[in-house]
Amino acid sequence: MKTHEKITFCRMCMGHCGVVVTLDEDEHLLDIRGDHDDPQTMGYACFKGMKAVEAHNSSERILTPLKRMPDGSFKPVSREQALDEIAQKIQHISDRDGAEAIAGYKGGGGFFTSTSVNMLNELIKAMGSPKMFSSVTIDQSSKAVALGRIGIWPAGRMPFNQGDVFMIFGGNPLVSIATNGFDTRNPLKRLKQAKERGMKLIVIDPRRTETARHADVFLQPIPGEDSAILAGLIHMILDRGWQDQDFCDAYADDVEALRKGVAKFTPSYVAKRAKVAEDSLWQVAEVFAHQCKTGSATSATGPDMSPNANLSEHLIECLNIICGRFLREGDPVNPGAIAARWPRKAEVMPAPRWWDEGYKSRVGDFGLIDGELPTGILVDEILQPGKGQVKCLIVHGGNPVSSIPNQHKVVEAFSSLDLLVTIDPFMTVTAQLSDYILPPTLQYEREDLPIFIYESIVTPEPYTRYTDVISKPPKNSDVVDDYLYLWGIASKMGLSLECFGEKLSGTKAPSARDILSTVARFSPIDFDELTSAPYGVTLDQEPQFVEPGDPDSPHRFSLYPDDVGIEMELMFNQSEDAQPYRLAVRRLRDALNSAAINLPSVKQRLPFNRAYLNPADMAQEGLSEGDYIYIRTDHGEITVQVVADEYLREGVVSVPHGFGGLPDKTDYLSDGVSVNLLLSLDETRSTINAMPPMSGLPVALGKVQS
Ligand SMILES: Nc1nc2c(c(=O)[nH]1)N[C@H]1C(S)=C(S)[C@@H](COP(=O)(O)OP(=O)(O)OC[C@H]3O[C@@H](n4cnc5c(=O)[nH]c(N)nc54)[C@H](O)[C@@H]3O)O[C@H]1N2
Ligand SMILES: Nc1nc2c(c(=O)[nH]1)N[C@H]1C(S)=C(S)[C@@H](COP(=O)(O)OP(=O)(O)OC[C@H]3O[C@@H](n4cnc5c(=O)[nH]c(N)nc54)[C@H](O)[C@@H]3O)O[C@H]1N2
Ligand code: SF4
Ligand SMILES: [Mo]
């Protein structure tokens, strides 16, 4: 058999690793490896990314649109029939119950397809409904809340590749290839390069993670205490006068209010509460604020999934502000390569509090963040009767039945919908409850760009890359790019969609190239130049710099608004845990949330999820590896095998999410169990973004006697 190779890049996660794929004469994938000639990622690639060949050729892959029959089985139908019926049903629901009865949910798979990244949002909008949801609001939307309450510095924080220090709260970029601000292109190499130039790494995590093992300073608290730790750090820094007073004088009026707000968070109080040594807290404060003068603090899912996430993010931004850790006039900025450029001035854009204006949800009176409603209310929007009750949901590249807390309630809600449509290549738990499943092309079968909506945090320089279609879909399949399903539904309903401000035809389907060139129309790079650059384009000839701010600008950061003060008080008065352990989120190297965990080679490594415990806790509970434990919250209970993790601190149990079948059908040894059976969606969700806590919660656990 004659084979040939092509170069392209992986779009499963933020790494965007350059790869070399081997194809047969029919352009089907045979093999894949990291591309050592790729200047961005230099050969790095991970196990799950290298399983793309298996995913593309998988016998589990859905290859034609499926319709659910009254007996619950799925029957292949033509694309035309599926889209006709879906459009008619949506129209019927909308005519009967109003446009607000239609909702959309976009997950990770949707975010990583450039041709359709915004299309479900546009479709829901064109239908006249404000009810767009996404995985962002069960992830790190507290970052948007923080900017919304504190204000925005247009040039951004001092990036990883420039600062003296980089401090991470609850993120493990060497495994997750994520973490806002970290250089994820071959992350270990980038970290080593940064350390060689003298950068100090500080990590705050209940687990001595793969990343933490490279830290200069490592603080290992119990989970859920980041807001207290941050209040303590700010207290110490202001107490010692280690803040950047000039920056504070110029851009923040309420440093004194913040100082008063953190007064109760003395080092000894915080040390006791977070279960760390007082000395280690001082070490973090001293290295970050006194020894180092540039470089910022960031966070990932750890703090953002714990209670008080909005407060934690707010205080991280306060820490960066009082220490002046932002790009300054004359510094080079990364404006991205695809987005239109706009001037980055050294001045504050005052707290926009987007959610205060405009549409408010009928459930909980939540406003919109980045044009979307928080996913923490989706299930109630479906279950709560009345005007505006959601009856139809379109899911694009997500698995909400796996990813949203209180899985029983999610299943009840999704089962009660009049119409559930899922665009997904695999029979996920969400797909299993759907009326129609529309299978898309997979990544190497479509044209694409890196995730351009986040481009300036993916690479430190303005860089982007185009990939053409690399391989053909399996023989006899009827799959199309995601966007064609969404555009198809719109077209059949007589609607025309917008694509990043440009109207698309309602009758003639755009090509993928049309969409990508539209998306990139404000880029300084000529699109033809981009498509003919095999390793992409870095805009190093046209650097952008931070411009002087207006010296008379009245705008200042809001370090201590009233709602933050209330949250500080509530956090301070939080009652003591009634349980001896706290739950912690964590990700696994070999799986990406729920995606790909059913591939045979992944199953071989990860047949089911397990609970990680420190060996001392295991001894204390009389547990050996492989024993079953129950984990119980006020809300639910799961049974799971236990495994020792010497890197996890005592008093913490860590269970990865994404596993488990539908709750009444699941078999632990073949599917694992959903940690979302333990978590609640109701009483504890946060204000503003309705974030349900998923980490840092008290749990009981013990041995299940066999
Ligand atoms: N308990 C608990 N719950 C959590 C978390 C946690 O840590 N703990 N983490 C949360 C976080 S951070 C997130 S982001 C969410 C994840 O939330 P989701 O995005 O809802 O879930 P994923 O499992 O990532 O689902 C991605 C889906 O995209 C599909 N897919 C892959 N490629 C394509 C494609 O090209 N096109 C289409 N249409 N689909 C594709 C995959 O098959 C998969 O079903 O879960 C959240 N839930
Ligand atoms: N291999 C792999 N990569 C992934 C994913 C995956 O599932 N697998 N998922 C992708 C997605 S959707 C996302 S959002 C990103 C997430 O990226 P990360 O946030 O970097 O994900 P994790 O590796 O789980 O790191 C979270 C860390 O927070 C710690 N932690 C838990 N609770 C707390 C707490 O209360 N406080 C503090 N300080 N730390 C805490 C955990 O011990 C863990 O080390 O990863 C992405 N990349
Ligand atoms: S790290 Fe991410 S981008 Fe790189 S190969 Fe793995 S999944 Fe793909
Ligand atoms: Mo995520």
Side-chain angles (χ1 to χ4, degrees):
M1 183 178 40
K2 264 185 123 168
T3 63
H4 60 289
E5 292 185 336
K6 289 182 184 171
I7 58 163
T8 180
F9 57 97
C10 175
R11 280 144 281 144
M12 248 180 114
C13 84
M14 291 295 207
H16 293 94
C17 300
V19 295
V20 183
V21 296
T22 311
L23 299 132
D24 67 13
E25 286 159 326
D26 296 327
E27 306 292 331
H28 291 122
L29 291 183
L30 292 173
D31 201 7
I32 185 167
R33 63 175 196 273
D35 182 357
H36 286 275
D37 295 327
D38 186 295
Q40 299 292 323
T41 55
M42 302 167 287
Y44 182 83
C46 77
F47 171 80
K48 62 189 181 308
M50 297 304 95
K51 292 302 149 203
V53 176
E54 193 178 331
H56 281 62
N57 300 325
S58 168
S59 59
E60 303 268 312
R61 182 172 168 191
I62 302 171
L63 295 176
T64 60
L66 297 177
K67 175 180 180 178
R68 193 149 56 113
M69 297 287 105
D71 68 357
S73 64
F74 284 97
K75 180 183 122 189
V77 288
S78 71
R79 196 178 346 135
E80 206 54 26
Q81 183 190 338
L83 292 179
D84 272 331
E85 292 181 9
I86 291 167
Q88 275 169 22
K89 287 180 183 175
I90 296 177
Q91 194 62 58
H92 172 73
I93 294 170
S94 179
D95 292 344
R96 188 190 62 196
D97 300 321
E100 282 208 26
I102 318 295
Y105 170 89
K106 176 173 60 184
F111 278 96
F112 277 100
T113 66
S114 290
T115 39
S116 60
V117 61
N118 230 26
M119 212 171 261
L120 181 58
N121 303 62
E122 294 294 343
L123 176 63
I124 297 298
K125 192 166 89 188
M127 288 176 185
S129 170
K131 295 197 179 161
M132 184 62 201
F133 300 84
S134 78
S135 51
V136 167
T137 38
I138 39 167
D139 191 338
Q140 295 162 67
S141 57
S142 296
K143 294 182 166 56
V145 174
L147 294 182
R149 296 205 285 195
I150 212 164
I152 298 167
W153 186 258
R157 293 174 185 168
M158 173 69 70
F160 175 84
N161 65 340
Q162 290 178 34
D164 300 340
V165 63
F166 194 74
M167 173 149 75
I168 305 174
F169 285 83
N172 186 14
L174 293 194
V175 167
S176 65
I177 329 293
T179 298
N180 190 8
F182 198 90
D183 192 343
T184 50
R185 305 163 304 160
N186 196 333
L188 180 58
K189 202 164 207 147
R190 302 293 177 181
L191 177 58
K192 285 187 172 157
Q193 285 172 350
K195 292 199 69 174
E196 271 160 26
R197 71 168 170 77
M199 187 195 81
K200 296 245 187 309
L201 177 70
I202 307 176
V203 174
I204 291 134
D205 197 301
R207 182 167 173 265
R208 187 180 283 273
T209 60
E210 291 73 1
T211 310
R213 284 166 231 166
H214 297 267
D216 300 279
V217 183
F218 172 54
L219 188 70
Q220 195 169 18
I222 55 169
E225 294 301 339
D226 300 279
S227 48
I229 294 168
L230 280 149
L233 293 174
I234 292 169
H235 174 113
M236 292 183 248
I237 291 165
L238 292 176
D239 205 46
R240 289 287 159 100
W242 289 337
Q243 71 272 26
D244 180 337
Q245 196 57 47
D246 292 344
F247 194 80
C248 291
D249 290 345
Y251 303 112
D253 285 336
D254 46 2
V255 178
E256 283 316 304
L258 177 68
R259 186 197 294 272
K260 279 198 195 114
V262 299
K264 292 191 273 201
F265 294 86
T266 59
S268 62
Y269 168 79
V270 173
K272 190 158 167 263
R273 188 173 161 148
K275 301 197 165 78
V276 291
E278 215 176 303
D279 283 357
S280 333
L281 278 173
W282 275 114
Q283 201 192 358
V284 172
E286 186 166 355
V287 172
F288 184 78
H290 188 49
Q291 289 178 17
C292 300
K293 295 295 174 209
T294 59
S296 51
T298 190
S299 67
T301 54
D304 287 26
M305 297 212 167
S306 291
N308 311 308
N310 290 343
L311 186 56
S312 299
E313 281 296 342
H314 187 89
L315 294 173
I316 288 175
E317 205 60 349
C318 285
L319 183 65
N320 285 320
I321 290 168
I322 62 164
C323 296
R325 301 306 166 84
F326 292 91
L327 289 172
R328 307 296 182 89
E329 185 182 333
D331 285 342
V333 280
N334 174 11
I338 291 291
R341 290 190 171 194
W342 49 283
R344 311 294 169 124
K345 291 199 172 153
E347 64 186 30
V348 178
M349 291 161 71
R353 292 188 176 256
W354 304 280
W355 50 86
D356 280 348
E357 301 296 319
Y359 180 83
K360 291 285 162 55
S361 66
R362 68 186 190 110
V363 171
D365 203 30
F366 289 93
L368 302 176
I369 299 180
D370 209 8
E372 295 184 356
L373 281 171
T375 290
I377 64 165
L378 171 60
V379 166
D380 287 336
E381 284 279 353
I382 298 171
L383 289 176
Q384 222 175 79
K387 194 170 164 347
Q389 181 178 11
V390 170
K391 301 282 178 60
C392 161
L393 180 68
I394 304 174
V395 174
H396 176 209
N399 191 7
V401 174
S402 166
S403 53
I404 303 179
N406 196 343
Q407 197 185 36
H408 284 299
K409 195 169 168 187
V410 183
V411 171
E412 183 197 339
F414 279 45
S415 308
S416 74
L417 287 164
D418 288 351
L419 180 65
L420 176 58
V421 177
T422 295
I423 306 176
D424 203 288
F426 290 100
M427 190 52 89
T428 63
V429 280
T430 307
Q432 286 171 45
L433 297 179
S434 299
D435 299 292
Y436 294 87
I437 309 169
L438 304 174
T441 47
L442 284 183
Q443 55 167 324
Y444 296 116
E445 298 159 355
R446 61 172 189 250
E447 289 173 69
D448 225 335
L449 297 170
I451 189 164
F452 63 87
I453 53 170
Y454 300 133
E455 58 178 350
S456 55
I457 58 168
V458 173
T459 50
E461 293 93 30
Y463 166 82
T464 195
R465 181 177 184 179
Y466 161 85
T467 178
D468 206 340
V469 170
I470 297 295
S471 65
K472 280 198 182 136
K475 285 199 183 82
N476 304 321
S477 61
D478 179 16
V479 293
V480 292
D481 289 359
D482 295 77
Y483 81 88
L484 285 170
Y485 288 121
L486 297 164
W487 181 87
I489 294 171
S491 170
K492 298 225 178 255
M493 292 180 71
L495 303 169
S496 55
L497 299 179
E498 279 200 2
C499 172
F500 290 88
E502 195 85 337
K503 224 167 183 61
L504 297 176
S505 162
T507 49
K508 184 173 175 292
S511 68
R513 187 76 65 112
D514 292 338
I515 294 181
L516 296 181
S517 59
T518 300
V519 154
R521 68 192 185 283
F522 300 118
S523 167
I525 311 168
D526 175 65
F527 195 69
D528 291 333
E529 186 197 330
L530 180 61
T531 55
S532 53
Y535 282 115
V537 179
T538 302
L539 276 170
D540 41 10
Q541 318 86 334
E542 296 174 59
Q544 189 178 344
F545 298 95
V546 184
E547 296 176 19
D550 171 4
D552 300 323
S553 167
H555 302 311
R556 298 286 182 272
F557 288 115
S558 307
L559 298 181
Y560 209 68
D562 292 348
D563 48 357
V564 168
I566 293 168
E567 287 163 34
M568 285 283 274
E569 217 35 49
L570 287 171
M571 188 262 290
F572 186 77
N573 293 319
Q574 210 160 294
S575 51
E576 295 242 330
D577 287 358
Q579 304 296 350
Y581 291 91
R582 281 195 183 180
L583 183 69
V585 286
R586 69 164 286 176
R587 269 147 182 76
L588 296 174
R589 196 184 274 286
D590 297 335
L592 189 82
N593 305 325
S594 75
I597 54 174
N598 288 323
L599 293 177
S601 62
V602 178
K603 274 244 167 276
Q604 213 173 5
R605 286 195 179 188
L606 296 171
F608 42 82
N609 53 342
R610 296 181 295 176
Y612 296 84
L613 265 186
N614 181 282
D617 286 334
M618 286 181 59
Q620 162 85 19
E621 302 293 337
L623 293 165
S624 311
E625 261 191 27
D627 281 349
Y628 282 85
I629 57 168
Y630 66 84
I631 305 178
R632 190 182 301 140
T633 61
D634 291 342
H635 178 78
E637 181 172 319
I638 58 171
T639 302
V640 60
Q641 263 189 22
V642 68
V643 60
D645 183 353
E646 59 175 316
Y647 296 113
L648 191 65
R649 65 157 290 153
E650 289 174 39
V652 183
V653 59
S654 179
V655 194
H657 68 289
F659 287 80
L662 287 171
D664 57 340
K665 294 189 186 137
T666 194
D667 169 39
Y668 176 69
L669 289 178
S670 52
D671 300 321
V673 63
S674 174
V675 69
N676 281 328
L677 289 166
L678 283 176
L679 305 174
S680 152
L681 262 182
D682 310 319
E683 322 82 57
T684 48
R685 67 187 167 204
S686 62
T687 58
I688 304 174
N689 55 345
M691 181 68 186
M694 303 171 175
S695 200
L697 299 166
V699 294
L701 62 82
K703 188 169 178 170
V704 173
Q705 304 300 338
S706 48

